[in-house]
Amino acid sequence: INSSFLGVITKRARVDVVNIGGDAGDNIGHRILLYNKVPELMRKLKLLMPEFRTIDKIAYERQPLRVLIRDIIEFSFFFWLIGGGCLLFIYHVNGVGKKEVIDVMIPVLVEVITYLIALLGCIMSYRRKGLYYDDLYLVVVSGVFTRSIQVIPYERIQQIQYFEGPIRNLLGVKSANINIQGSALGLEIISTGCFPKERFLELEEYLKKTY
């Protein structure tokens, strides 16, 4: 279930279905429901695919707040490390005269605006990312200024690749890439985002029951 930037604002979405096999170039054919108001879209989806009738009532779990704090600190550090070095180089080249300082303020302003936009994107990505699983399927919500809800039956999952490290271990979280059976285009890889380790252990239990 996908929403564009304007779709998020107007509360409209569309439904895409990924089938196994089919024509590799037939991307439009997978779009079973075009953009519509979300309540009407869900009504039609329940009629076409009743196995997904509860999708609009799911309470998605967000990533822990500590993940957002880590991302902001890490992103800010590298952004200003690189950006600050560029600004120092500009100051060094232009000198520190009155006219030169005024000229240098333009790239400084551009960098600050770029940082604020990127920071907003980081926060929006955190707010959009969600995870849900039950006896029927795994649901991954993602997007920045757009929104995507991917509903994955367990039998379509082929592999789960986990990512851990010192910082993730310290925060008690890990992330994963999920490989699913896709169309003739090949495997589709879905990133889950960072969630507590016990969530993935619970997910593995669902996978064991499925297989």
Side-chain angles (χ1 to χ4, degrees), residues 112-139:
V112 170
I113 293 175
T114 302
Y115 172 76
L116 292 177
I117 294 175
L119 182 62
L120 176 62
C122 183
I123 296 174
M124 290 299 296
S125 177
Y126 166 78
R127 289 182 59 84
R128 287 273 186 263
K129 182 66 74 174
L131 190 68
Y132 173 83
Y133 46 86
D134 61 13
D135 292 331
L136 298 176
Y137 37 62
L138 168 69
V139 182

Side-chain angles (χ1 to χ4, degrees), residues 17 22 33 48 51 56-57 87 92 157 179 197:
V17 175
L33 290 174
L48 290 172
E51 63 270 29
D56 56 336
K57 295 181 175 61
L87 291 176
H92 176 74
I157 297 177
N179 294 342
K197 295 181 178 181

Side-chain angles (χ1 to χ4, degrees), residues 160-210:
I160 298 181
Q161 181 181 10
Y162 293 114
F163 297 94
E164 297 183 85
I167 298 180
R168 286 188 175 92
N169 289 333
L170 182 64
L171 297 176
V173 300
K174 64 181 179 181
S175 61
N177 281 345
I178 298 177
N179 294 342
I180 66 171
Q181 295 175 355
S183 65
L185 297 174
L187 290 176
E188 183 176 354
I189 300 177
I190 298 175
S191 176
T192 63
C194 293
F195 288 90
K197 295 181 178 181
E198 56 267 23
R199 296 292 177 268
F200 293 102
L201 292 176
E202 294 170 1
L203 178 58
E204 289 176 2
E205 290 301 317
Y206 281 109
L207 288 172
K208 290 176 183 177
K209 293 177 183 178
T210 303

Side-chain angles (χ1 to χ4, degrees), residues 41-111:
L41 187 81
M42 296 309 304
R43 186 187 70 82
K44 293 179 179 179
L45 179 61
K46 292 172 186 178
L47 292 175
L48 290 172
M49 307 180 73
E51 63 270 29
F52 299 132
R53 61 189 177 276
T54 60
I55 293 302
D56 56 336
K57 295 181 175 61
I58 287 175
Y60 308 107
E61 179 183 358
R62 283 185 183 172
Q63 300 177 100
L65 182 60
R66 56 185 180 270
V67 173
L68 174 62
I69 296 174
R70 181 214 65 178
D71 289 345
I72 291 177
I73 293 175
E74 186 178 83
F75 160 74
S76 300
F77 174 77
F78 286 106
F79 184 93
W80 289 109
L81 179 67
I82 298 173
C86 293
L87 291 176
L88 288 175
F89 176 77
I90 294 174
Y91 270 109
H92 176 74
V93 171
N94 290 292
V96 292
K98 183 177 180 180
K99 181 180 182 302
E100 287 79 7
V101 170
I102 294 176
D103 293 338
V104 168
M105 287 305 296
I106 296 177
V108 170
L109 182 61
V110 170
E111 183 166 355

